[in-house]
Amino acid sequence: MRIEIIGAGAVGLLVASYFAEKNMDVYIVGKPTGETVCEDIQIERTNVNQSVTSVNVKYISALSNKANLIIVAVKYGQLHEVYASMEHVKDSIPLLFLQNGLAHYEEALALSKAHIAFCSIQFGALKLSEHHVAHKGEGVMKIAVAKGANDEFSFLNGLSSAGLPIVFEQDAEKMLMEKALLNCFINPLTAILQVKNGQLITQSHTLQLLKDLYNELMTAFPQFKETFHFNQVIALCEKTAENTSSMLADRLANRKTEIDTIAGAILKKAEQNEKKLPVLQTLYYLVKAFEESGEQM
Amino acid sequence: MRIEIIGAGAVGLLVASYFAEKNMDVYIVGKPTGETVCEDIQIERTNVNQSVTSVNVKYISALSNKANLIIVAVKYGQLHEVYASMEHVKDSIPLLFLQNGLAHYEEALALSKAHIAFCSIQFGALKLSEHHVAHKGEGVMKIAVAKGANDEFSFLNGLSSAGLPIVFEQDAEKMLMEKALLNCFINPLTAILQVKNGQLITQSHTLQLLKDLYNELMTAFPQFKETFHFNQVIALCEKTAENTSSMLADRLANRKTEIDTIAGAILKKAEQNEKKLPVLQTLYYLVKAFEESGEQM
């Protein structure tokens, strides 16, 4: 089986290493190091228990049109470039999207590809160097097929492992929405307050903010009340207590954040349903203001 | 005429210097420097045009019970101590309160004093050294009598000057509320975003936050719609563009802020009227969270 992964960021490399470990032919699509267009590369993965696993993957400069699965692992902002690069790819090759948020959901489904699935990753990944990735925090890789045949993706079940448990979900949009909601609790607040995830639940005022935000979101999206409980928010803060959230890391590095794909997409969804989210909207504009100011006094 | 001023902070010293300039006998109540209990002190005031005015005032260690007016110029947090120190003071001596916010309004009126007025200061003051204060930005000193006889305060009209124009208002609570509303726009946002006042209107996302906050407050307090326009918020940001707000200054110095007397009091007022202010409440909890965390990562 040949898997081509577009994007050599932390999540792309991590998934590549687990699939290569299961003897898949893994190709990372992107600019290879040096001049070679097809190069064998050893990538290393520091596991949660601090052991290091080495696997071999190949780098190619463009999609081959011979893959059994294409995984799209770039950030939302680079997706339009990726859509263009996939135009020549056969419609029958299944696609799996690994982005955060909801912003990519409808535009991906609008592609003329036959089989499209989405992924919601419940663990963290940190790139340590060009070919070295660290797996941060345990969690499952949720996959939901949104278009085409489930069968095209079912071989992924066999790639499930202790380090990367794979679970199939029924409703892709709901799965992405749940992850985006979770991100809405952690990311903007940690970025605004410059605190680690765990501090959100040890401080009384941030806990109050989390509760206000939870009540606001559940009022706007009552269909989640049954499955999405406040203690999931608490559990995520506990589990990732020592983590610097991706949005805070982006802020500290003066990078553009994912606020639009996470909170922006949920605000849009609420607006479509004629619901207001003043708390989330306030956090959204504050993060946008940081980006706009460049933080200069 | 003898005026005793409790509190030798920036605003207390500034008002003292203007009243001393008008040949009042001005006594500052508080711990004098050195051991003397009654000391002549020269205080200096750097005016808006950068000229420096010197006047003489006296320091005393406690209220004399001989004043024609007592001005209370400490911050809200020290008021309870001041109330206790005033217990032996004759009820007929008029009191003038100079605090920000609304939190002191009802408790001050509950004192057993006959004549009570409140002040809303529309300019800035910055203490440069123990006896040197800078007058920052032009603006009026609004006074409104809330209890007792207007006549007891009317001599203050004669103390009005080009540097300190004094204007009497009818409704003390409304006057304090208007100032608190203005502070709600500037203070929490500048403290959270760490920007100067002017940046609130040059950035599109903070301007949107100001608009959201304005609409929320005017929906909760429609009685202000007639007199309190959004362009007052803009004008204040423009007029104080280069200023670091007091709340940002407090945050940067790791001091307790005035968030409770400003936003907290307005949230309480809204709650009494069964109105919700989710945007202001979010900003309130964020500032409280900064205070609680001590900003350590």
Side-chain angles (χ1 to χ4, degrees), chain A residues 180-206:
Chain A
L181 288 172
L182 269 174
N183 277 327
C184 275
F185 289 104
I186 306 268
N187 270 307
L189 280 176
T190 52
I192 292 166
L193 294 166
Q194 303 196 44
V195 295
K196 290 190 183 292
N197 297 1
Q199 284 173 266
L200 294 182
I201 54 168
T202 54
Q203 294 190 359
S204 64
H205 300 104
T206 48

Side-chain angles (χ1 to χ4, degrees), chain A residues 241-295:
Chain A
E242 288 306 308
N243 285 17
T244 298
S245 76
S246 61
M247 200 169 283
L248 174 54
D250 285 340
R251 180 182 171 193
L252 294 173
N254 270 318
R255 286 189 300 257
K256 199 171 152 50
T257 72
E258 290 191 292
I259 190 74
D260 276 309
T261 59
I262 295 169
I266 287 187
L267 287 169
K268 205 175 277 176
K269 201 95 199 152
E271 207 185 335
Q272 285 165 5
N273 300 345
E274 293 178 1
K275 305 278 186 178
K276 291 202 176 198
L277 299 175
V279 177
L280 183 63
Q281 184 159 301
T282 300
L283 301 178
Y284 170 82
Y285 283 128
L286 286 172
V287 174
K288 295 292 281 182
F290 285 129
E291 291 190 355
E292 192 177 0
S293 75
E295 312 252 350

Side-chain angles (χ1 to χ4, degrees), chain A residues 17-287:
Chain A
S17 81
Y18 277 109
F19 289 174
E21 207 178 347
K22 289 275 184 175
N23 295 317
M24 296 287 110
D25 294 322
V26 175
Y27 291 78
I28 293 175
V29 185
K31 285 203 186 85
T33 49
E35 295 297 309
T36 344
V37 287
C38 181
E39 198 177 6
D40 281 300
I41 292 281
Q42 182 171 305
I43 58 177
E44 292 185 318
R45 181 183 76 230
T46 297
N47 297 300
V48 176
N49 66 7
Q50 299 307 307
S51 65
V52 177
T53 306
S54 292
V55 296
N56 288 309
V57 301
K58 292 193 175 64
Y59 270 69
I60 48 175
S61 57
L63 290 165
S64 72
N65 219 359
K66 292 181 287 187
N68 299 96
L69 175 70
I70 294 172
I71 296 179
V72 183
V74 299
K75 284 201 170 178
Y76 175 74
Q78 294 149 326
L79 276 179
H80 282 93
E81 215 175 299
V82 169
Y83 298 151
S85 77
M86 289 196 302
E87 273 172 16
H88 75 284
V89 170
K90 284 183 289 187
D91 286 348
S92 59
I93 300 179
L95 299 182
L96 176 62
F97 284 85
L98 253 59
Q99 285 63 37
N100 266 326
L102 281 169
H104 61 303
Y105 179 72
E106 285 177 19
E107 58 188 45
L109 286 181
L111 295 173
S112 65
K113 307 298 176 192
H115 312 286
I116 296 177
F118 296 88
C119 187
S120 167
I121 284 170
Q122 314 286 309
F123 49 81
L126 181 68
K127 207 166 163 176
L128 302 175
S129 69
E130 196 177 356
H131 301 127
H132 191 171
V133 65
H135 189 159
K136 310 288 274 185
E138 289 172 24
V140 301
M141 179 170 176
K142 292 185 181 174
I143 296 173
V145 181
K147 181 178 173 184
N150 283 354
D151 289 355
E152 295 291 326
F153 298 91
S154 56
F155 77 97
L156 287 166
N157 268 322
L159 303 183
S160 193
S161 68
L164 189 75
I166 293 175
V167 171
F168 274 79
E169 297 278 330
Q170 290 302 313
D171 186 334
E173 190 176 12
K174 193 173 176 202
M175 174 190 82
L176 292 177
M177 182 90 177
E178 272 191 21
K179 179 73 189 305
L181 288 172
L182 269 174
N183 277 327
C184 275
F185 289 104
I186 306 268
N187 270 307
L189 280 176
T190 52
I192 292 166
L193 294 166
Q194 303 196 44
V195 295
K196 290 190 183 292
N197 297 1
Q199 284 173 266
L200 294 182
I201 54 168
T202 54
Q203 294 190 359
S204 64
H205 300 104
T206 48
L207 191 61
Q208 188 59 51
L209 281 167
L210 290 176
K211 283 181 191 159
D212 289 351
L213 198 48
Y214 179 82
N215 290 330
E216 176 178 282
L217 287 164
M218 290 305 119
T219 305
F221 303 109
Q223 68 273 32
F224 283 90
K225 262 189 179 164
E226 282 296 304
T227 55
F228 188 83
H229 297 123
F230 188 63
N231 53 24
Q232 278 178 264
V233 179
I234 303 293
L236 185 62
C237 290
E238 278 170 353
K239 207 177 104 181
T240 62
E242 288 306 308
N243 285 17
T244 298
S245 76
S246 61
M247 200 169 283
L248 174 54
D250 285 340
R251 180 182 171 193
L252 294 173
N254 270 318
R255 286 189 300 257
K256 199 171 152 50
T257 72
E258 290 191 292
I259 190 74
D260 276 309
T261 59
I262 295 169
I266 287 187
L267 287 169
K268 205 175 277 176
K269 201 95 199 152
E271 207 185 335
Q272 285 165 5
N273 300 345
E274 293 178 1
K275 305 278 186 178
K276 291 202 176 198
L277 299 175
V279 177
L280 183 63
Q281 184 159 301
T282 300
L283 301 178
Y284 170 82
Y285 283 128
L286 286 172
V287 174

Side-chain angles (χ1 to χ4, degrees), chain B residues 15 38 87 237 263:
Chain B
V15 170
C38 181
E87 273 173 15
C237 291

